[in-house]
Amino acid sequence: MQLPEQIKASGDDSSNGVPIDKKIKNNIEYFKKLNGDSDDVIIREIRIRGLDAAVFYLEGMVDSRIINDDILKPLMKKGRTQKEKIKARELFLQIVDEVAPVGEMKIVQDFDELTLLFMSGFAAIFLDGCTRVIMLSVQGWEMRAIEQPDIENVIRGPKDSFTETIRTNTTLVRRRIRDPNLRIITTQIGRRSKTDVVLTYIQGIVNPSLLDEIKKRMDTIDIDAIIGSGYVEQLIQDSWWTIFPTIQETERPDRVAAALVEGKAAILVDNTPFALIIPANLNMMMMSPEDSYLRWVGGTIARLIRFGSSFAAMLLPSLYIAFTSYHPEMIPFGLAIAIAINREMLVFPAYVEVFLLELSMELLREAGIRLPGPISQTIGIVGAIVIGTAAVEAGLVGPIVVIIVAFTAISSFVVPTVSLGIAIRQLRFVFMIAATVLGIYGVMLGLLALLGHLATLKSFGVDYLSPFAPLRIRDLKDTIIRMPLPSMHTRPLSLKTQDPDRMDDERQDDLQRGTDSDKY
Amino acid sequence: MINTRIKNKSAQLIVLTVITFMLIMGTGCWDRLEIDDRALVLGVGIDKPEHQKKESGSETKEIPKGGLPKYSMSLCIPVFTNSSDSGGGEEEGGGGQQPDRWILTSTGNTIQEIVRIYANRSSRMIFFGHMKVLVIGEQVAREGIADILDYFTRDVDAHGRIMVVIANGKAKEILDITPYEEDYSPDYIEKLLQEGKGGASKIEGDMVSLLKSLTSSGNAVLPRVRAGSKSDAVVGGSALIKDYKMVGWLGEWETSGVNTIRDKVEGGSLSIVAPGTKEELMSIRLNNVKVKRDVTIKAGQPIFKIRIFSEGEVVEKPQSVGVLSSELLKEIERRVILEMQHRSIATVTKLQREFKADVLEFGDLLSKKHPQYWAQVEKDWDEKYFPKAEVLVESDAKIRRVDVTR
């Protein structure tokens, strides 16, 4: 008798685990011992035409409707309609061929493999006298629906975001790239958690050595559990001691899709609505997917604002300290008088003022995340009134500092990548200390050190400051300014992609259409 | 090497970091001073002292010959205290109340001496970083301005945008003005100088151009300021500096001649006798004046050629002048040409005959075009060669518009 192909395929390489016993009683006993007294492990024993059988599944992880209607019901029906005894081998094949109307099916021969599938929501069908177990993919659990992105919202653009379920997430990406070359490679990482970690990329575009590097680093991960994608990020990133993120996280599937077609790779982790894009550089973290959806002038203006405000978020408080304490000649005369007049009423030096207010701003921000929605608004108002008005009236801080801190806070929210925003917030304090100690000289020293640091950073072999340093003029089309889409017909050079062209060269005629329109 | 004794690599790194950090820290911090702990000096006025009375706290021990210290210096410092009426600067710019300022005067033989006295009189550090004008009284200017300028070029906080002006009278009177339009008199003076900068009768008075002019020839023209009343000042005309000493005044008309020849004029207006009338005047507003300067040497004598091209429009004409026909415009243009020529030639003549001082940057031009010749005449330029130099002034003018009347 010829066995179906799947059965043969998985039959050979299952020699290391505990093998499935011929007697079903022993198997059930062993399995119960393995799982302790966990209540969600359901073992349903049935008798089909004189043969003992059992269906194992995890309650909550499986769709019980499929279990009841499509597995148990036909099995029992089989026992009702035909009474004569049946051999285990025959029933096995009948189940494989006729009973289970489930797409993904696996045949296993040892408990290790079985447990892994079982724990991810497969149902196992045991037959007495058979050392092979049919595993049916009947996963179905309560999951959050696809919702609007929380932090990477856009006005014009898709409004879906990743959820906690890996399959949903890969689907969201797949739906955007219907290319057989889109590869979705799943590995289980975590000795105990066995978390699905999906590496996805487009074969034929992505640089193979980048792929090798990612795989190599993912192989080195040895940890008991991967709870979120942040774990993976921290375990494979280039350097742990920099405050800059060298891997970009995103909750937007369109962002992942755009990165994939650019020649990057992405890692999706089960139970995390954040995907990781590899490699990352500073430039792409300053972008919002919205830039590409808007016409190029709008996108460019948005980027100019973003780059400008990220500098403001980083430097404004330190510049205030430096100017008022070291270089008052740099402030225009009228403003200098105004600052001096309201500083006259204050007791603290400028740096104490700024630190006080910046710290309370951080406090408000942190509290705002933790507090439940309605209360957080109240706290915001209280904070604004107390800090904005009362503290000024009490002479603790000056109104100009309030303006500066408020402006800085707003600016820091403009940075589209959360982890980069956090880095900028941390740098702000570094610069404030530098300005307190050394004035503008300190700020400039800090900027130089920062530039040097950024220039040494790499993300999976790609320079962090590219395409600014090393300068690649062709790649500058998509940086501070965003050129019209038809002009961006090549993939970033720094990624060393296999297929550098995004469009036919003919498509560049689109650019000229505006100028010689009489041709059309 | 320090590190030779430290074997451990990480210890080396720590030592290096500490040394670097200390080096960096050692360079800063000491001059941190909050803005409200500085006395922002807006204007400085320098006069000759008037009274025999010795200033209290003065460190002057030996009174020089003549019994009086050399300078009497006044500072204008805005005053802001946390008294209730200042109200956090809310009233700034509004209301009838004049903002407080402090004009303090001390005497001494050098500028530094006086600044030291201020350090004893003021609870804040005297800070020249926001200084706007340096007013030098006529009396002091006639004795020499080199020493005064030396102090302000050496001071770290004083900067190149300070306006240096000569007061027609006492410098303190200028600082004492309480202007209506601005809060502080130095601010007011600075804006007076800046307003209509391209106009003909005002001289650029900033420190940088002054020093440039002084170091190249020792001569300069500085704006003249006169206190009009308690609340206003008049800027116009200029003081002529020769060898770091003021030698005389130039009126507004002559100043505009200087400006024209130096190619500093962009516009301005002039009045001419209207064609067809005896003495009725009409006004032309110039909005483009181009000047080309050239020098040639003939028989060992420099000949300067100034070509002036002016463009302008008619802004006011007497009623007796009828419709402005093209013939009439030609005539007006001719009169503008004559006027421009006249004021230039008259100025040159005055400078050559009366003052023997080249403030027209002729020496500069000569040194660029004919460096060998300049090397020969440089020493005696002002006294011997400049007064004899031939200056040709050509002029052309075009009336572009007669302005629409409604």
Side-chain angles (χ1 to χ4, degrees):
Chain A
M1 197 177 215
Q2 211 179 356
L3 289 171
E5 207 169 302
Q6 307 102 305
I7 302 175
K8 267 200 279 183
S10 63
D12 299 330
D13 58 337
S14 53
S15 50
N16 25 5
V18 179
I20 308 267
D21 201 75
K22 260 195 173 329
K23 285 258 190 297
I24 193 166
K25 285 265 182 294
N26 294 346
N27 285 333
I28 291 171
E29 215 165 283
Y30 178 77
F31 199 73
K32 273 184 175 160
K33 210 171 77 195
L34 203 63
N35 284 293
D37 292 328
S38 296
D39 285 336
D40 56 346
V41 177
I42 307 292
I43 298 173
R44 176 73 160 90
E45 292 175 59
I46 45 174
R47 201 175 164 78
I48 307 161
R49 291 161 72 181
L51 196 74
D52 278 329
V55 178
F56 294 19
Y57 62 91
L58 263 179
E59 196 176 15
M61 291 282 282
V62 300
D63 190 337
S64 51
R65 197 189 50 77
I66 302 181
I67 295 276
N68 296 340
D69 294 356
D70 300 336
I71 298 173
L72 288 177
K73 211 178 192 177
L75 282 179
M76 289 168 169
K77 203 174 171 187
K78 211 170 255 309
R80 259 208 318 277
T81 47
Q82 293 159 295
K83 290 286 177 211
E84 68 270 27
K85 294 234 155 121
I86 190 167
K87 283 222 168 75
R89 190 183 185 79
E90 213 174 312
L91 183 63
F92 183 88
L93 288 176
Q94 272 182 20
I95 291 171
V96 168
D97 289 341
E98 294 163 20
V99 173
V102 175
E104 194 180 355
M105 186 187 71
K106 282 191 172 134
I107 310 293
V108 297
Q109 285 186 307
D110 67 297
F111 272 102
D112 277 13
E113 212 177 330
L114 182 137
T115 313
L116 185 59
L117 291 173
F118 178 76
M119 286 299 170
S120 28
F122 277 62
I125 302 175
F126 279 79
L127 295 176
D128 193 26
C130 187
T131 59
R132 295 200 165 99
V133 174
I134 304 166
M135 303 294 293
L136 296 171
S137 168
V138 288
Q139 285 121 317
W141 50 78
E142 291 302 315
M143 59 175 101
R144 194 162 62 94
I146 297 170
E147 283 165 14
Q148 278 209 14
D150 277 336
I151 40 184
E152 293 173 75
N153 239 325
V154 297
I155 293 169
R156 185 178 166 184
K159 310 248 179 199
D160 52 351
S161 70
F162 288 129
T163 69
E164 280 75 10
T165 316
I166 188 98
R167 196 44 74 205
T168 316
N169 294 350
T170 55
T171 314
L172 287 173
V173 175
R174 176 72 85 180
R175 268 178 46 202
R176 286 175 167 81
I177 303 167
R178 296 177 187 173
D179 183 347
N181 288 320
L182 173 69
R183 298 294 145 82
I184 293 179
I185 312 287
T186 309
T187 44
Q188 268 90 27
I189 299 181
R191 267 182 280 164
R192 289 186 188 280
S193 70
K194 307 277 187 217
T195 312
D196 281 343
V197 177
V198 169
L199 174 64
T200 170
Y201 55 91
I202 297 179
Q203 189 74 43
I205 297 179
V206 75
N207 180 3
S209 58
L210 169 70
L211 218 52
D212 289 345
E213 181 65 28
I214 297 172
K215 282 177 179 160
K216 206 177 81 196
R217 291 195 197 176
M218 277 170 69
D219 285 345
T220 61
I221 298 178
D222 181 26
I223 192 171
D224 52 353
I226 297 284
I227 306 296
S229 64
Y231 281 52
V232 178
E233 177 185 350
Q234 290 170 60
L235 291 170
I236 65 171
Q237 68 190 356
D238 282 67
S239 61
W240 53 265
W241 53 272
T242 176
I243 59 171
F244 284 94
T246 48
I247 291 173
Q248 189 181 17
E249 87 280 6
T250 180
E251 54 174 352
R252 298 186 59 87
D254 57 334
R255 206 168 188 170
V256 170
L260 292 182
V261 294
E262 248 183 10
K264 292 169 184 145
I267 291 178
L268 300 160
V269 179
D270 201 8
N271 301 318
T272 309
F274 285 94
L276 308 175
I277 298 175
I278 299 169
N281 59 37
L282 196 63
N283 182 46
M284 65 186 262
M285 297 211 187
M286 293 299 295
M287 291 175 191
S288 160
E290 181 137 42
D291 301 349
S292 314
Y293 301 140
L294 293 174
R295 300 187 65 251
W296 73 277
V297 180
T300 301
I301 288 170
R303 285 208 187 148
L304 287 174
I305 290 171
R306 225 172 282 145
F307 272 89
S309 66
S310 63
F311 272 99
M314 195 164 68
L315 294 178
L316 215 53
S318 55
L319 289 182
Y320 175 79
I321 295 174
F323 283 163
T324 53
S325 316
Y326 285 92
H327 323 280
E329 68 271 18
M330 310 251 320
I331 313 171
F333 158 70
L335 186 61
I337 296 285
I339 292 175
I341 286 172
N342 74 53
R343 278 212 40 76
E344 188 57 41
M345 308 186 302
L346 309 177
V347 278
F348 296 123
Y351 67 91
V352 175
E353 255 186 295
V354 177
F355 268 95
L356 216 66
L357 217 52
E358 277 294 343
L359 285 174
S360 52
M361 192 65 223
E362 293 297 311
L363 211 70
L364 272 180
R365 187 202 301 260
E366 193 62 21
I369 299 170
R370 304 278 170 273
L371 285 166
I375 301 176
S376 101
Q377 263 186 8
T378 320
I379 290 292
I381 293 164
V382 168
I385 290 170
V386 167
I387 286 163
T389 314
V392 171
E393 273 172 20
L396 285 176
V397 293
I400 290 176
V401 181
V402 174
I403 295 171
I404 284 174
V405 170
F407 188 81
T408 311
I410 294 167
S411 297
S412 67
F413 285 113
V414 176
V415 180
T417 307
V418 178
S419 48
L420 184 64
I422 293 171
I424 285 175
R425 257 161 68 198
Q426 291 160 346
L427 277 177
R428 181 192 304 157
F429 284 90
V430 175
F431 277 111
M432 275 156 61
I433 293 169
T436 308
V437 179
L438 297 165
I440 282 285
Y441 172 62
V443 175
M444 291 318 288
L445 271 186
L447 279 175
L448 280 177
L450 175 68
L451 196 65
H453 172 62
L454 285 174
T456 59
L457 273 185
K458 277 184 184 239
S459 167
F460 290 80
V462 175
D463 293 288
Y464 200 57
L465 279 186
S466 63
F468 303 114
L471 183 67
R472 290 181 210 278
I473 291 171
R474 253 177 39 180
D475 286 2
L476 288 180
K477 281 179 291 203
D478 196 17
T479 52
I480 298 176
I481 48 167
R482 188 186 85 80
M483 298 290 275
L485 205 53
S487 74
M488 292 196 246
H489 53 94
T490 51
R491 301 205 159 82
L493 290 170
S494 54
L495 293 175
K496 299 189 182 74
T497 50
Q498 286 177 306
D499 174 13
D501 292 323
R502 300 194 66 172
M503 303 176 193
D504 279 344
D505 287 347
E506 287 160 29
R507 289 287 295 164
Q508 284 184 67
D509 292 346
D510 289 3
L511 272 183
Q512 272 141 32
R513 192 179 298 150
T515 51
D516 43 54
S517 52
D518 32 332
K519 241 166 57 179
Y520 296 91
Chain B
M1 287 284 284
I2 303 166
N3 287 354
T4 44
R5 283 187 209 155
I6 305 161
K7 288 283 187 300
N8 191 336
K9 202 106 190 235
S10 62
Q12 279 182 10
L13 202 70
I14 290 166
V15 168
L16 194 70
T17 317
V18 168
I19 290 173
T20 319
F21 199 63
M22 276 161 64
L23 271 176
I24 292 172
M25 298 292 261
T27 56
C29 232
W30 57 271
D31 63 345
R32 193 182 69 77
L33 194 64
E34 296 300 329
I35 190 166
D36 50 320
D37 292 332
R38 297 177 199 246
L40 306 178
V41 177
L42 292 182
V44 174
I46 296 171
D47 286 310
K48 295 297 288 179
E50 270 178 346
H51 313 291
Q52 185 79 48
K53 198 185 90 191
K54 197 165 169 277
E55 287 279 336
S56 59
S58 164
E59 286 182 4
T60 316
K61 289 191 179 93
E62 293 170 37
I63 292 173
K65 256 195 286 176
L68 279 175
K70 206 171 167 194
Y71 302 121
S72 156
M73 187 162 101
S74 311
L75 303 187
C76 172
I77 298 168
V79 179
F80 27 86
T81 51
N82 48 0
S83 61
S84 54
D85 62 333
S86 76
E90 276 164 31
E91 282 123 274
E92 209 202 339
Q97 198 191 357
Q98 282 294 332
D100 294 332
R101 77 236 170 107
W102 185 24
I103 310 252
L104 71 170
T105 309
S106 290
T107 56
N109 283 314
T110 63
I111 304 292
Q112 174 62 19
E113 220 177 270
I114 306 171
V115 171
R116 291 274 303 130
I117 296 169
Y118 290 142
N120 295 339
R121 289 179 69 187
S122 165
S123 63
R124 297 172 184 178
M125 200 193 85
I126 300 293
F127 177 68
F128 290 114
H130 270 296
M131 189 168 153
K132 291 185 173 292
V133 287
L134 170 60
V135 189
I136 301 175
E138 184 181 345
Q139 254 184 310
V140 178
R142 284 193 187 272
E143 281 178 21
I145 57 169
D147 301 348
I148 299 168
L149 291 179
D150 190 60
Y151 180 84
F152 288 101
T153 47
R154 281 173 202 279
D155 190 273
V156 282
D157 296 321
H159 51 89
R161 278 166 293 126
I162 295 173
M163 298 285 178
V164 184
V165 298
I166 306 289
N168 191 352
K170 285 262 168 200
K172 190 166 182 290
E173 284 170 22
I174 307 290
L175 293 185
D176 274 334
I177 291 170
T178 45
Y180 287 120
E181 291 163 328
E182 308 295 336
D183 290 342
Y184 309 103
S185 51
D187 197 23
Y188 171 66
I189 302 292
E190 191 202 28
K191 284 187 174 145
L192 282 186
L193 287 162
Q194 276 172 347
E195 194 267 326
K197 209 177 180 181
S201 60
K202 285 178 188 170
I203 289 283
E204 266 181 56
D206 65 293
M207 191 74 112
V208 171
S209 51
L210 170 65
L211 290 173
K212 227 160 48 183
S213 167
L214 282 178
T215 46
S216 69
S217 63
N219 304 338
V221 275
L222 285 176
R224 176 176 68 180
V225 181
R226 193 157 39 80
S229 66
K230 277 262 170 239
S231 54
D232 78 310
V234 183
V235 171
S238 54
L240 188 69
I241 308 286
K242 187 183 174 188
D243 281 334
Y244 297 93
K245 284 194 179 84
M246 178 180 159
V247 289
W249 297 111
L250 294 178
E252 292 195 17
W253 193 65
E254 288 144 342
T255 305
S256 65
V258 171
N259 272 337
T260 311
I261 296 175
R262 286 165 100 181
D263 193 12
K264 291 280 159 59
V265 181
E266 282 154 21
S269 60
L270 50 88
S271 301
I272 52 169
V273 177
T277 64
K278 276 247 166 86
E279 50 193 11
E280 284 185 85
L281 291 175
M282 64 184 295
S283 278
I284 309 292
R285 181 164 56 220
L286 301 179
N287 30 37
N288 188 13
V289 179
K290 279 182 204 154
V291 178
K292 283 202 176 119
R293 297 146 54 97
D294 197 15
V295 58
T296 49
I297 298 182
K298 220 175 212 176
Q301 285 292 320
I303 301 170
F304 293 93
K305 255 188 206 161
I306 316 287
R307 266 180 294 172
I308 306 165
F309 174 72
S310 9
E311 263 181 339
E313 54 194 296
V314 177
V315 288
E316 187 183 338
K317 72 171 177 60
Q319 209 194 350
S320 55
V321 178
V323 176
L324 292 167
S325 62
S326 61
E327 291 86 47
L328 219 48
L329 283 178
K330 278 262 152 55
E331 179 56 27
I332 293 171
E333 278 167 10
R334 205 181 62 81
R335 286 171 193 227
V336 171
I337 291 168
L338 282 179
E339 163 66 22
M340 296 302 281
Q341 244 169 350
H342 185 198
R343 64 155 76 144
S344 307
I345 291 169
T347 309
V348 171
T349 314
K350 185 166 187 180
L351 288 171
Q352 284 182 324
R353 302 231 174 106
E354 198 177 316
F355 296 114
K356 295 187 178 170
D358 171 22
V359 290
L360 303 170
E361 294 165 2
F362 280 172
D364 199 40
L365 185 68
L366 202 55
S367 71
K368 278 173 190 158
K369 296 259 170 165
H370 302 284
Q372 286 106 344
Y373 180 80
W374 175 245
Q376 294 167 22
V377 301
E378 191 181 353
K379 253 191 169 168
D380 301 322
W381 174 247
D382 271 341
E383 297 304 321
K384 254 172 88 182
Y385 296 94
F386 171 68
K388 288 181 194 155
E390 199 176 327
V391 181
L392 304 175
V393 180
E394 287 172 25
S395 177
D396 195 7
K398 189 86 198 157
I399 302 297
R400 295 287 182 200
R401 278 174 294 276
V402 294
D403 280 7
V404 182
T405 52
R406 51 189 86 77

